[in-house]
Amino acid sequence: MVEGAHTDTGAPVSFGERAEDRVADLTTLHELTDRLTAVTTLDAALDEVLRAGAAIIGARRGLIVLEPPPGTGALTSPGSITRGYGLSHAELGHIETVPRPLTAYGRILEGTADTADTAGTAGTTASADLPDTVELVDTVDVRGAAVAHPDILNDHSLDPLRRKVAVHLGCAAAYTQPLVSRTTGILGAAVWLYDTPTAPADRHRGLVNDYMRYAAEHLARLVELTEARRAVASIAEELLPSRLPLVPGVRLAVRHRTGPHGPRGHWYDALPLPEGALGLAVGSVGGTGPGALAAVGRLRASLRAYAVMEGEDPVAVLSDLELLLRLTEPAGTATALFAYAEPAAGKMVLAGAGHTPPLLIGERRTEFVETSLSAPLGMLACWEAPSVELCPEPGETVLLYTDGLLRRTGEPMDRAFARLHTAAASVPRTAREDPGAVADHVLHTLFPQATGPARRTEESAPVYSCGRPDERVRRPVCGGGRGPRDGFGPGAPRSAAYGGRDGGRDSGRDSGRDSGDGNGDGDDIVLLAVRFD
């Protein structure tokens, strides 16, 4: 990094020293731009720009205001984004009390830089965080000129409000650098604050100017990418149910959380069926982007039609879905789980195609419902697997979920299943009455540091007391306290079948790579909680 923020302009400098400094500056610039290039989210890029600029010019605090003009490359402008560096939310609020036209970054964004500023002389206006001495940078547009304020507290021409805010912040000097992109023009401005009167030397001004030129182009690309992701996420939300149905005997809640890179084709559905039945489905489509979302829309719409016609036979529903996938998506694959629930009878018949097994959560048992081993849809010439019957006790919750819930943990699949089982088993008794609270507890336990709200959809239905009918489906798994079949422990259901490739530890590591990051943060999470009353 560049050492020091000042040089002795009166000392002679040899050509060798200047060349050595230039090489060092180019090396620093290369390192900083490499670090910025590795950042793929807009918020992280803004933080990186502030940190790098502060290191170059020797500042300790700063802020960046990003305000891309509408209709310049981005699909829609995200509005104004302000990020602080070394500043609390309260301190940012104090800065924002100063009218923007009186701040240097406001004049840059609004294109109202005056001639005194562009001439490099002391002007008659200033801001609370920026004094009036202006240094030009290499740009034709006057709005692209950097503004240096070396001594705020001793500049008595400043507005009293601006001086008051500067004193409150302990800000003695500041330097404002615009963000100018070749494609969008003025994209924003960065402000770095000093605790003592000072100004960056020519060498450091030139280096930060070069860095900010590159940063502006990178931020412009990220703004466009962010808007594209927002558009895709909006489309993905429209493909999912806007509300859950009201069916007597059950209460439903769903939690849907997408990764930072947008939706990945995970979906769910719940639809009322004749005779008080309920069809429930979760699934995921291979691939990403608009193609995956289009496949989600086709599969979900088709599954609804098949469920209405033959929903009491989940195997037939998935078989029809398999045929549709092979005809419309010959190179595509998908996992799916469909359940035909009869709340009045207190039972559920389900079948899965390469999908993670549901989790039954109750007062006396917490166990995975082992569906039969089967390949995902689209991988075999003909798909079929036996269904399984589940008889939840009143007050028990069946949790349907996609494999993104496991991949997000960053653990091998065996450990991820064990963590999920532990989280479900630890649901407090008071929370078991609400399926939404059950889903929230599982999410919070698995990801205590997660940020960002999950999509929440909850509906409740009247409670009816019903008896148990005669059993008439193929393989029952009923009764309280009974463990999983085939000797699998509750924390490790056939992980090799649900690991995405080959299960176990290798599968967990592969899943992290699939998501585009090291810990599976790119995967969607879908939890559909069904509580039987």
Side-chain angles (χ1 to χ4, degrees), residues 356-408:
T356 50
L359 186 59
L360 182 63
I361 305 171
E363 187 71 25
R364 295 183 296 168
R365 57 176 174 171
T366 299
E367 60 188 31
F368 290 100
V369 181
E370 288 289 351
T371 54
S372 58
L373 292 173
S374 63
L377 302 175
M379 293 191 67
L380 299 179
C382 181
W383 180 91
E384 185 167 343
S387 59
V388 60
E389 179 180 309
L390 175 66
C391 301
E393 297 290 337
E396 291 186 329
T397 298
V398 179
L399 190 67
L400 311 180
Y401 56 95
T402 60
D403 60 357
L405 181 67
L406 304 173
R407 294 176 183 271
R408 280 278 193 108

